[in-house]
Amino acid sequence: MEGLPRNGTPLECSPLGGGQARAIAEAFRPVQAWGNRRDYYYTRGKLGSDPLYDGVLQHLPEDGLPLLDLGCGLGLFAHVLRQRGHRQPYLGVDVDAGKIARAQRAAAGLDEVRFECLDVQAPLPAQAGHVLLLDVLQYLDMQPQLDLLRAASARVAAGGRLLLRTPLATGDRRDRTTRVADRLAWLVGWMGTRPRHYPAPAQLTATLAEAGLQVDTLRPLHGRTPFNSWLLVARRSPV
């Protein structure tokens, strides 16, 4: 596939340990013993199987710049951030009002962590710093993807980074598996919209470069999962 390194070297990263995952999942345990535990078990499973958080944190400087998490879902990255000792202000936004409400409840004990219900296709919060865009792009059509990349790039401060994980249109087994899983997540109601467009790597890198960011080589970030997940790190030069 054009724009991809041949046999791209996966990042050396791992999921959270069982104790770490359980500690975060406790924040999502329902107050009533008979309450719905879907978020609790999802959090344990997600944190304990996906190397996303370790992989992204390896590229997130501890420089005090605020962090904007676009399409944050339940806000798990905020919990991992604080568990690992990162103290920068965090703002997570997502279009799913139900997830945002549950994220706010679970993060009640975390300092300088905020959540807002916002469609990432609307004007983004006026916050400059580092930006996360994790497993979001495939739920937008191509032109809205490009618009979001430009808008997200504009929120990257001098010396800041845009950390992007996304599946890519590679046409291999991982690609096909990811498309099926994303569609199932929509059909069962976990995601509020169906997958729409899987980006081509060359278009991603060109769009970010045009927005003034220095783009690193794409690296696989799927760990032992069967999905077609790739990490892209884009940086804005310091003043």
Side-chain angles (χ1 to χ4, degrees), residues 145-227:
Q145 283 184 13
L146 300 178
D147 293 341
L148 177 57
L149 288 172
R150 296 184 184 105
S153 298
R155 297 296 183 267
V156 178
R161 301 183 183 186
L162 171 63
L163 301 170
L164 165 69
R165 189 174 82 159
T166 186
L168 298 173
T170 54
D172 55 12
R173 180 185 297 178
R174 285 187 178 277
D175 183 358
R176 293 189 293 272
T177 299
T178 301
R179 291 170 188 262
V180 170
D182 286 344
R183 190 166 183 83
L184 285 174
W186 169 60
L187 289 172
V188 302
W190 182 251
M191 297 302 299
T193 185
R194 63 176 176 84
R196 295 179 179 276
H197 178 72
Y198 291 80
Q203 190 167 46
L204 285 181
T205 56
T207 301
L208 295 175
E210 290 168 2
L213 302 183
Q214 301 169 353
V215 184
D216 292 355
T217 301
L218 282 155
R219 299 278 300 277
L221 181 53
H222 49 65
R224 296 182 179 180
T225 73
F227 306 121

Side-chain angles (χ1 to χ4, degrees), residues 105-130:
R105 181 183 69 81
L110 302 182
D111 292 334
E112 292 196 83
V113 169
R114 296 186 297 119
F115 295 97
E116 295 180 6
C117 185
L118 179 73
D119 190 334
V120 294
Q121 297 182 76
L124 300 181
Q127 172 176 301
H130 301 297

Side-chain angles (χ1 to χ4, degrees), residues 7-234:
N7 299 321
T9 304
L11 288 169
E12 293 185 7
C13 51
S14 59
L16 272 64
Q20 296 172 316
R22 284 194 298 273
I24 292 175
E26 283 299 319
F28 293 89
R29 187 186 289 275
V31 176
Q32 298 86 3
W34 59 87
N36 189 324
R37 299 193 178 194
R38 180 178 67 169
D39 290 347
Y40 171 79
Y41 288 114
Y42 168 80
T43 298
R44 283 186 60 175
K46 176 71 170 178
L47 297 177
S49 63
D50 193 343
L52 166 68
Y53 307 93
D54 184 30
V56 170
L57 282 172
Q58 288 181 27
H59 295 85
L60 183 65
E62 296 186 60
D63 53 11
L65 285 177
L67 182 62
L68 176 61
D69 189 355
L70 301 175
C72 66
L74 293 174
L76 299 187
F77 198 91
H79 292 264
V80 178
L81 198 69
R82 294 296 183 258
Q83 189 181 76
R84 296 287 179 91
H86 292 246
R87 308 312 308 170
Q88 66 261 57
Y90 169 99
L91 171 60
V93 302
D94 198 282
V95 70
D96 189 324
K99 286 183 180 177
I100 287 295
R102 280 134 56 203
Q104 290 171 333
R105 181 183 69 81
L110 302 182
D111 292 334
E112 292 196 83
V113 169
R114 296 186 297 119
F115 295 97
E116 295 180 6
C117 185
L118 179 73
D119 190 334
V120 294
Q121 297 182 76
L124 300 181
Q127 172 176 301
H130 301 297
V131 179
L132 301 182
L133 193 55
L134 307 176
D135 301 335
V136 172
L137 284 184
Q138 70 268 35
Y139 294 103
L140 301 174
D141 290 315
M142 183 175 68
Q143 188 57 52
Q145 283 184 13
L146 300 178
D147 293 341
L148 177 57
L149 288 172
R150 296 184 184 105
S153 298
R155 297 296 183 267
V156 178
R161 301 183 183 186
L162 171 63
L163 301 170
L164 165 69
R165 189 174 82 159
T166 186
L168 298 173
T170 54
D172 55 12
R173 180 185 297 178
R174 285 187 178 277
D175 183 358
R176 293 189 293 272
T177 299
T178 301
R179 291 170 188 262
V180 170
D182 286 344
R183 190 166 183 83
L184 285 174
W186 169 60
L187 289 172
V188 302
W190 182 251
M191 297 302 299
T193 185
R194 63 176 176 84
R196 295 179 179 276
H197 178 72
Y198 291 80
Q203 190 167 46
L204 285 181
T205 56
T207 301
L208 295 175
E210 290 168 2
L213 302 183
Q214 301 169 353
V215 184
D216 292 355
T217 301
L218 282 155
R219 299 278 300 277
L221 181 53
H222 49 65
R224 296 182 179 180
T225 73
F227 306 121
N228 192 32
S229 302
W230 293 75
L231 179 70
L232 186 150
V233 180

Side-chain angles (χ1 to χ4, degrees), residues 157-160 236-239:
R236 191 175 300 283
S237 297
V239 175

